[in-house]
């Protein structure tokens, strides 16, 4: 869908439309907002993007994104290196850090095993994970993977691979989310919460 | 809502969140997508933005956005300068051009009169419009303004201001949109379509 503007504007719209959450129509709206606020929004965003492009790199240890390698979490000596939290993506690291209750380190897999999408163990950072755990400095591996089929398949595979290291592998609890009304919960969650019930 | 990443990433997220259609959460998702595709998406988008920032300007004649001033539409000698279409925003110019059935020129007001938001005639490009019409080269002014209270207020005001030039002022027809099912139309549209009925 052309915007009938110059090629520079068309190109901006086409690229903005590729962002998750934006399509051709909202991409055009975003481009228009940027072009109307050329000094207050377009220029700072262009600078921020160029800066991110130049500086942000993947941490060689955990696979997260930061402007330093190793990343701030891996380099932070006050964090407990014996706790290793395995997550699917960098977004999960950000979510865990917002929670603020985890003080260990992370390992980003970069995806999940998926037979449908043809993603095998070699496509993920599972070998690196086994290496980190095998060197003896890790006391517990916490799997914070999505409660989906692919997430659980990946969790089982990792638990298998780590079995011979004798390091305990745990996973996040399943249950009623905070603020969750039983009326709106699916049967699977209620069943899991019931099985994992605890003294009140 | 912090992403718990470095300041460069936080800044990128904060700016992306200001785009229309994106909020703090989807801004973070967009930033993550950009950072994961640093070479295929982030770099081209940063370049496109810098280029747009450097090149795009407001057309001194019609108020539209283009990399040239006067813009491509104003400079196009094959277009009929006697037809002047008045629109609220640059987005409306793009929409009209996508339609492809209008071959005249445009005048972008840059907004609508609004008592609530305190936007008066001097904040819009209405003086420029009167000037363009008064020089005698325009044979018809077509008001393509939104069918809202502010849009109609603005249309009436412009028609008043242009009355003494004796140039005919018309507005887009109101009626059933193409593909519109009567069941889903509001009463106002049906009433207007009925009043403006025509031989089948």
């Amino acid at each position: 869908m052309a915007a009938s503007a110059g090629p520079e504007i068309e190109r901006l719209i086409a690229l903005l439309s590729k962002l998750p959450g934006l399509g051709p129509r909202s991409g055009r709206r975003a481009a228009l907002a940027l072009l109307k606020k050329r000094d207050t929004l377009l220029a700072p965003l262009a600078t921020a993007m160029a800066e991110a492009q130049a500086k942000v790199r993947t941490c060689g240890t955990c696979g997260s994104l930061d402007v330093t390698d190793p990343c701030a979490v891996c380099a932070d000596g006050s964090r407990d290196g014996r706790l290793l939290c395995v997550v699917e993506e960098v977004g999960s690291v950000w979510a865990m850090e917002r929670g603020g209750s985890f003080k260990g380190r992370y390992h980003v897999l970069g995806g999940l095993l998926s037979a449908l999408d043809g993603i095998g163990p070699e496509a993920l950072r599972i070998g690196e994970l086994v290496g980190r755990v095998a060197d003896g400095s890790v006391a517990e591996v916490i799997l914070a993977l999505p409660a989906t089929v692919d997430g659980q398949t990946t969790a089982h595979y990792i638990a298998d691979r780590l079995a011979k290291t004798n390091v305990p592998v745990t996973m996040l609890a399943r249950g009623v989310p905070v603020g969750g009304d039983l009326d709106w919960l699916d049967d699977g969650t209620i069943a899991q919460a019931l099985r994992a019930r605890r003294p009140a």
Side-chain angles (χ1 to χ4, degrees), chain A:
Chain A
M1 207 172 348
S4 309
E8 286 82 0
I9 298 179
E10 299 274 9
R11 185 164 164 67
L12 181 62
I13 294 172
L15 286 165
L16 283 171
S17 305
K18 287 189 190 167
L19 290 180
L22 293 184
R25 200 169 275 267
S26 46
R28 211 156 52 221
R29 206 154 64 92
L32 195 56
L34 284 169
L35 291 170
K36 283 174 70 179
K37 300 180 191 163
R38 288 200 285 284
D39 293 330
T40 56
L41 189 53
L42 180 56
L45 190 51
T47 311
M49 283 187 174
E51 208 158 280
Q53 156 75 5
K55 289 192 190 169
V56 173
R57 59 206 72 228
T58 304
C59 173
T61 309
C62 71
S64 185
L65 293 167
D66 205 342
V67 291
T68 53
D69 179 12
C71 72
V73 171
C74 286
D76 183 351
S78 73
R79 298 188 74 115
D80 186 353
R82 290 167 308 160
L83 282 179
L84 191 59
C85 178
V86 177
V87 295
E88 176 191 3
E89 275 300 348
V90 179
S92 311
V93 174
W94 295 352
M96 292 284 294
E97 287 297 290
R98 278 197 304 279
S101 54
F102 180 68
K103 293 296 171 204
R105 299 237 163 83
Y106 294 97
H107 191 86
V108 178
L109 293 177
L112 296 174
L113 294 178
S114 169
L116 272 181
D117 298 333
I119 300 177
E122 66 293 334
L124 307 178
R125 301 180 68 255
I126 292 182
E128 288 91 330
L129 172 64
V130 175
R132 283 180 83 178
V133 175
D135 82 355
S137 62
V138 175
E140 180 181 351
V141 173
I142 302 167
L143 303 178
L145 298 172
T148 59
V149 171
D150 285 351
Q152 293 318 292
T153 307
T154 311
H156 282 298
Y157 178 83
I158 292 177
D160 266 1
R161 285 283 299 270
L162 294 178
K164 58 182 90 110
T165 63
N166 283 323
V167 174
V169 178
T170 59
M171 56 181 264
L172 294 189
R174 304 260 175 270
V176 182
V178 173
D181 189 326
L182 288 196
D183 247 18
W184 300 103
L185 281 179
D186 61 299
D187 303 348
T189 302
I190 292 183
Q192 293 225 30
L194 199 59
R195 269 202 302 277
R197 68 189 178 279
R198 48 173 207 179

